[in-house]
Amino acid sequence: MVDARNFESMARQMKLGTDPGSVRQRIEGMERLLEGLFTIPGTNRKVGLDVLLDIIPVGGSVIAAVMGSYLAWEARNLGMPKHAIVRMAGNIGVDALLGAIPWVGAIPDFFFRSNTRNLKIIKKHLDKHHPGTAIIDG
């Protein structure tokens, strides 16, 4: 079940600055919204808006792709290399194509998590060029 307090705490944690630390928090929040909003009961798999939007024919995958493109936009603002942004765009494209199949598209999208892949690309860049933004996971 999705808890309203979860959304409130996420909103309070989001920072609006352009510094790499604020960007990191925003992209982690967007990835959590798209890929890990809640856990499927009886499993350990998380699902987010990306999979849920794929249930909506055509428009859902477009909306999910636009929301996923936010990560690439933030990557561009960080000054990441073009090859990394092209790789992220490829992930978004594959995700959109998989999700474009009505109803059935949610199944492959459940396993191909483009936003998680793109978050890893951005984190790798941030950890190398802005190590002060790294957060030690406990």
Side-chain angles (χ1 to χ4, degrees):
M1 206 28 97
V2 179
D3 187 7
R5 287 174 287 173
N6 218 6
F7 286 117
E8 289 174 13
S9 68
M10 283 173 50
R12 272 185 264 127
Q13 291 174 2
M14 296 289 180
K15 292 185 179 179
L16 298 177
T18 57
D19 61 290
S22 297
V23 171
R24 184 180 193 115
Q25 286 185 344
R26 282 196 305 271
I27 61 172
E28 287 174 348
M30 179 62 85
E31 188 270 342
R32 190 170 33 255
L33 177 69
L34 291 171
E35 303 288 4
L37 197 56
F38 62 91
T39 305
I40 297 174
T43 69
N44 198 20
R45 298 288 294 189
K46 290 193 175 271
V47 176
L49 283 181
D50 193 18
V51 172
L52 297 176
L53 286 169
D54 285 338
I55 295 171
I56 303 170
V58 183
S61 64
V62 171
I63 293 168
V66 169
M67 291 178 75
S69 297
Y70 173 76
L71 297 177
W73 181 75
E74 286 284 15
R76 185 191 63 84
N77 289 342
L78 284 171
M80 286 181 60
K82 287 185 181 183
H83 68 86
I85 296 171
V86 167
R87 188 170 160 207
M88 292 173 66
N91 287 337
I92 295 165
V94 168
D95 190 38
L97 287 174
L98 291 173
I101 306 165
W103 294 89
V104 180
I107 296 168
D109 198 26
F110 180 71
F111 296 103
F112 183 81
R113 299 179 176 264
S114 66
N115 300 301
T116 302
R117 291 170 186 245
N118 289 343
L119 179 63
K120 287 180 184 177
I121 293 169
I122 297 172
K123 279 184 169 182
K124 183 177 177 183
H125 174 80
L126 285 172
D127 291 347
K128 181 177 181 183
H129 297 285
H130 305 282
T133 65
I135 299 169
I136 299 172
D137 295 327

